[in-house]
Structure formats: C-alpha cells, structure tokens
Amino acid sequence: GDSVTQMEGPVTLSEEAFLTINCTYTATGYPSLFWYVQYPGEGLQLLLKATKADDKGSNKGFEATYRKETTSFHLEKGSVQVSDSAVYFCALSDNGGATNKLIFGTGTLLAVQP
Amino acid sequence: DSGVTQTPKHLITATGQRVTLRCSPRSGDLSVYWYQQSLDQGLQFLIQYYNGEERAKGNILERFSAQQFPDLHSELNLSSLELGDSALYFCASSPRGGDFAEAFFGQGTRLTVV
C-alpha cells in the first residue's frame, strides 16, 4: 500500500541555519503531497502542498518540490527561527480515489536554538 | 483557527468504559476524517464519513465506531477501553470526499485511559 518515509528526528539547529527534512513516498497512483506542522499542544496545520510532479509548494519561507523521478518531497527552509520549532509531518493523499484520506509519515521533531 | 471544533479537549476514564468524542467540521465541509495519534503508531487514519455515509475505513478497531449526523457533525465512540487506547484523537474535515481537497484539523481530544 501507499506509504511515506521521513527522516528520523529530532533535528536540532541554531537560529538562521538551513533546514532540510527528507521525505520519500511509495504510491501506486499519482498522489498529492503535503507537509503539515504540529506546534506543541496544538493540532496539525497545513504548511504547504503540491498536487503534481514538479510542482513547488511554498509557505512562510518553507519550500518543497514534488519529484516524481525520486519519489521525494523534501522540506527546506533557508533560515530557521526559534518559532519554527515543531513536529513536521509529510503526507500523501490518493488523487481520484474514493477517498482522499491522508497517509502520514512518522513526523520529525525540529528544535531551533537561539 | 482551522474552523474544526473538537470536544472535549481532555478526557480521563477507566479501563472498560465507553466514551464519545465529538467533532464539528468547518462550515460547508462534507467530509469528516478521524485520526489517532499515539507514540508507538504515529498518526493513523481511522475512518471517513462523507455527507452522512461511511466512505473509507482504516485501522479502526471493532470496539470503535463513528457516525456523521444530518448537521454534518461527527462522533467517534470508543468502548471497552484499554490502556493502549490512550492517544490524541484528531478530527479533520474537507469540502469533498473523493477528489483532491486539503484537510483541516481540529486541536484534538487527548484521551487517557487509567
């Protein structure tokens, strides 16, 4: 079945450092890809999305490009802030199926130190 | 604020008991999804309802059931509770059920079984 694999955390960075969180997927169809963020004590918030190959999703300085050839959707940010500390989830949704339920990776904890 | 409301925020109950979690989707959204987030299993899709009818089932135990009412709110019923059912239960909603649509998450209900 469809699945998402994320790099293990925690990831600890200093403020203004460059961030990459790796995400690869396995899917039989043509999924949409998402990054969700979960701040401490809160629900999941959609950070960015891409619906087809070569699409780039971006929001709040974060970017991710849908790479079909490498089945990847890595999250990047050029300069992280302490306020970016959270758990980041990569997810996919099966387009065109009977449901667009999300399949999540295990999540990656990011801790940014001042 | 995602527009998805979950109640209660916290619930502590004893093993063997039954509880009901409630979710009000965003105005106009027809699909409701339930997810369980636990330390050992991560984020797992449980079940989806679309406009009152069950659309998809995931890793939902037989002791668990859900329904979506005519006003589109949904309830997740958990019975014969076990210690391992302790988790964060999220509800999400989206406008449609089968084509691409991003999901908006509530803040979750934290269930503790003692």
Side-chain angles (χ1 to χ4, degrees):
Chain A
D2 295 354
S3 65
V4 175
T5 302
Q6 277 182 249
M7 67 186 284
E8 295 278 335
V11 174
T12 303
L13 296 173
S14 298
E15 211 164 19
E16 298 183 3
F18 184 86
L19 168 71
T20 300
I21 300 178
N22 290 338
C23 170
T24 57
Y25 67 90
T26 301
T28 52
Y30 300 94
S32 293
L33 301 174
F34 306 82
W35 278 99
Y36 277 84
V37 58
Q38 185 177 27
Y39 297 102
E42 297 188 12
L44 282 82
Q45 299 174 26
L46 178 65
L47 181 60
L48 53 84
K49 63 188 180 191
T51 59
K52 60 183 187 299
D54 300 325
D55 267 3
K56 178 186 278 190
S58 60
N59 186 26
K60 299 181 182 179
F62 291 90
E63 292 183 340
T65 301
Y66 189 141
R67 301 277 188 211
K68 189 165 179 288
E69 63 277 11
T70 54
T71 61
S72 65
F73 192 56
H74 305 321
L75 182 68
E76 296 182 338
K77 187 175 185 183
S79 175
V80 295
Q81 305 300 313
V82 172
S83 57
D84 294 327
S85 298
V87 180
Y88 291 81
F89 291 91
C90 185
L92 68 80
S93 171
D94 180 23
N95 281 339
T99 175
N100 63 339
K101 70 177 188 284
L102 291 166
I103 296 171
F104 287 92
T106 52
T108 302
L109 173 63
L110 170 65
V112 181
Q113 299 175 338
Chain B
D1 182 3
S2 67
V4 178
T5 304
Q6 289 187 248
T7 56
K9 285 190 168 44
H10 302 277
L11 200 46
I12 301 174
T13 190
T15 54
Q17 295 298 304
R18 172 189 166 95
V19 296
T20 297
L21 313 183
R22 182 188 167 101
C23 170
S24 294
R26 291 187 322 153
S27 177
D29 282 359
L30 298 178
S31 262
V32 169
Y33 305 79
W34 286 97
Y35 289 84
Q36 180 194 57
Q37 185 179 33
S38 61
L39 283 174
D40 54 346
Q41 296 286 330
L43 264 165
Q44 298 281 321
F45 167 70
L46 296 179
I47 196 163
Q48 177 201 4
Y49 276 81
Y50 176 74
N51 204 19
E53 294 192 2
E54 183 184 301
R55 178 62 70 93
K57 248 181 177 175
N59 301 320
I60 188 166
L61 300 172
E62 285 193 12
R63 300 184 285 109
F64 296 0
S65 64
Q67 53 185 326
Q68 185 179 28
F69 295 86
D71 66 354
L72 299 178
H73 92 270
S74 177
E75 292 181 356
L76 179 67
N77 300 296
L78 314 176
S79 61
S80 303
L81 285 168
E82 302 174 359
L83 296 177
D85 298 327
S86 296
L88 197 48
Y89 291 84
F90 285 110
C91 167
S93 74
S94 69
R96 299 174 293 279
D99 56 350
F100 164 71
E102 63 194 66
F104 294 85
F105 282 76
Q107 293 203 316
T109 294
R110 182 169 295 283
L111 172 67
T112 303
V113 182
V114 297

